[in-house]
Amino acid sequence: MKRKTALRTATIGFAGMLAGGLSSCRGDDPEFDCSAQQEKFEESYATDGILLPDLTVSPSYPMAMVFSETGIQRLLNGLVGNDVPFASKLNIGPYSLNFFPTTTPVIEIVKVPNCAQCVLFSLDFDFQIEAEDGDPGGAGIGQAQLAIPLKLIQNDDGTSDLVAAYDKATVKDMPFNTNGIDTKDYPGLEGALEILATEALRAQYKTTTLLHFEPWTIGGNDVKLSAQKFAIFTDTKVISLGMQTNLDLPRGVAVEVGRALPMGVPLEVQMHPGLLLGMAQRMITEGEISRSYNDKGKPDPKGLYGVTLDSMVPNKIDGSNILDVGFRVWRTDEGFCGYAIAETSLKLDIDQANNNIKVSPGDDLRVTGGEGVGELAQDNQELIDKNKNLVAEFKKSLGEQVGITLNYNEVGVEGSTILFDTQALVVAQKSIDIIIDFEVVASKDGG
């Protein structure tokens, strides 16, 4: 596990750390020595953006997708539509029972005996009795409760699926009335019909995919993000999907899965701020965010200025939705070298026009320390102003990549489209919570 710097605020508008008259790369003061500063610069980012050979094997997760009862209900109803999973016909001796659901199924996240990963599926129905020759033999009404197992399947191509295993569902309760007869008065009869209904249900309905998770597409696509853990929390009535990555993150970068969602919220995406830091550092490693800049502040692999990202933490003011960012700007060539330590911010908002999260670089910039020429920048606003283009370029690229990470939407279902509506976000110290409303609609092309 790589060692990270303490999370604090930083970004750095390093100055045009030129000092007229000093042309020698090696001065008397080692803090200004360019060779020494180049070595320090390279060492400072040597462990940034490291990828593990595979996904982290850990019981903690830097990201989670959490569904409430409302959310799971929408998934099931949107995918199943009118084809409600309930036995349409049962053959009992010389008669058959034809069932017709009369209500929209209701999903409950409750404890189901002998099935820790089941949800309870309830509906009302009418039924008709027919003789072998098709003559009607009566009618009735009833209710049914089905225990439907949910499970997470890992596919060979790196994708994963959350599925409802209707072929393993169980009818737990099925009372009904017909011709004045209440099956509750005949438990043996009701129990026998529940067994027959379970067999018919499993035979007629197959496993249905609720969600399909594609690999994360960001940067060079070397970063992996995958749904690895599925759990049902009956006390808070949520279903949580823990997402794991191959980014080498500190052990403490983990969200608290299983928290209750606000009333009426169907889905919440939770990200630890440390995931954003690790992803941004990886994007610098891959070159999506430039590490080197020329004296005009433009990305340049041979530039004499460099940038390293130190920290990205939520601002301590509740409700500000601001990330405080800490970084360093280095000068490593052409005499009088060193680095400056600075802080700035990123503001997170909901972009209603584009229905996603907008990340806006702040105008604030604070130089808090440094070494060599960077130490002089603490009290020299002129030096900072000379490098405003570099700082602006870095903050712009950083905001874009953080926005890509926050707007994770690699989720789909076969034959349908999930329309996401980002409603709100809350930036807390250990989790950025993105509240999402969604609707499941049939794809126009049917695929």
Side-chain angles (χ1 to χ4, degrees), residues 28 57 90 105 116-117 133 193 210-211 232 275 285 323 387 429:
D28 294 333
V57 179
L90 288 179
Q117 293 191 324
D133 58 5
L193 289 174
L210 303 180
L211 287 176
I232 295 178
L275 175 62
T285 299
L323 293 174
N387 275 277
Q429 292 303 304

Side-chain angles (χ1 to χ4, degrees), residues 148-257:
I148 301 177
L150 305 181
K151 60 182 179 179
L152 188 64
I153 297 175
Q154 303 297 331
N155 303 314
D156 293 338
D157 61 358
T159 64
S160 53
D161 295 313
L162 178 66
V163 303
Y166 293 119
D167 56 339
K168 293 180 174 58
T170 301
V171 177
K172 306 293 289 185
D173 194 21
M174 199 178 75
F176 64 86
N177 287 274
T178 179
N179 298 327
I181 299 175
D182 188 340
T183 57
K184 289 185 176 180
D185 297 330
Y186 302 90
L189 172 61
E190 183 176 325
L193 289 174
E194 289 168 2
I195 293 174
L196 290 171
T198 295
E199 293 174 350
L201 173 66
R202 293 179 177 181
Q204 293 178 29
Y205 292 90
K206 60 182 180 179
T207 295
T208 297
T209 299
L210 303 180
L211 287 176
H212 178 72
F213 298 92
E214 291 284 346
W216 202 348
T217 54
I218 188 170
N221 295 334
D222 292 327
V223 179
K224 298 177 183 177
L225 183 78
S226 175
Q228 290 290 296
K229 181 69 174 179
F230 162 70
I232 295 178
F233 297 87
T234 56
D235 52 343
T236 53
K237 297 193 178 298
V238 298
I239 288 176
S240 179
L241 289 152
M243 314 289 286
Q244 195 53 271
T245 179
N246 62 336
L247 277 170
D248 190 4
L249 301 174
R251 188 176 299 274
V253 178
V255 294
E256 180 188 352
V257 298

Side-chain angles (χ1 to χ4, degrees), residues 294-366:
N294 60 29
D295 56 4
K296 297 185 183 301
K298 296 298 182 183
D300 183 347
K302 297 181 180 180
L304 70 160
Y305 296 108
V307 175
T308 53
L309 180 62
D310 292 339
S311 60
M312 188 180 299
V313 296
N315 188 275
K316 293 182 179 180
I317 300 176
D318 291 339
S320 66
N321 285 355
I322 289 175
L323 293 174
D324 290 329
V325 179
F327 66 104
R328 302 186 185 202
V329 175
W330 300 70
R331 180 184 172 91
T332 60
D333 202 356
E334 297 186 7
F336 211 33
C337 295
Y339 62 84
I341 305 172
E343 299 176 345
T344 187
S345 62
L346 297 175
K347 173 70 174 178
L348 310 185
D349 292 299
I350 303 299
D351 185 349
Q352 300 294 345
N354 297 308
N355 193 26
N356 60 14
I357 298 171
K358 177 177 64 176
V359 181
S360 304
D363 295 328
D364 56 323
L365 181 64
R366 301 168 299 281

Side-chain angles (χ1 to χ4, degrees), residues 15 34 38 43 58 65 84 117 126 135 143 210 222-223 239 246 294 322 350 369 382 421:
C34 291
Q38 177 67 33
E43 290 174 359
S58 170
M65 298 188 73
V84 176
Q117 293 191 324
D126 292 339
D135 288 340
Q143 299 88 38
L210 303 180
D222 292 327
V223 179
I239 288 176
N246 62 336
N294 60 29
I322 289 175
I350 303 299
E382 181 181 355
D421 182 10

